[in-house]
Amino acid sequence: MPRGQGQGSGMGAGMGRGAGRGGMGGNKRGGPGGACICPKCGEKVVHQQGVPCYSVKCPKCGAAMMRE
């Protein structure tokens, strides 16, 4: 066999698999839209783009909100 050439075709098993994971459906974390929800009392507020939910305080009980 000439130097620098292997026996295989150069395409390993599994090439091309896994494409398309995490498609374009729904509101994902960090994206626009959605709501922030209080883990203590369940109060919901509209998520403001650029403001992480954990930095927003619940208007009812004062707890840190989380992304819905």
Side-chain angles (χ1 to χ4, degrees):
M1 200 167 267
R3 190 172 200 210
Q5 291 184 352
Q7 292 180 339
S9 65
M11 295 185 69
M15 293 289 286
R17 294 191 180 197
R21 289 182 72 173
M24 297 284 289
N27 288 328
K28 302 296 181 197
R29 292 182 68 105
C36 299
I37 189 167
C38 177
K40 286 189 177 181
C41 70
E43 179 71 9
K44 287 185 182 182
V45 295
V46 177
H47 174 72
Q48 295 178 350
Q49 189 173 1
V51 180
C53 287
Y54 63 80
S55 70
V56 177
K57 300 292 181 193
C58 175
K60 281 190 175 179
C61 70
M65 306 286 276
M66 59 186 288
R67 191 66 187 258
E68 186 176 38

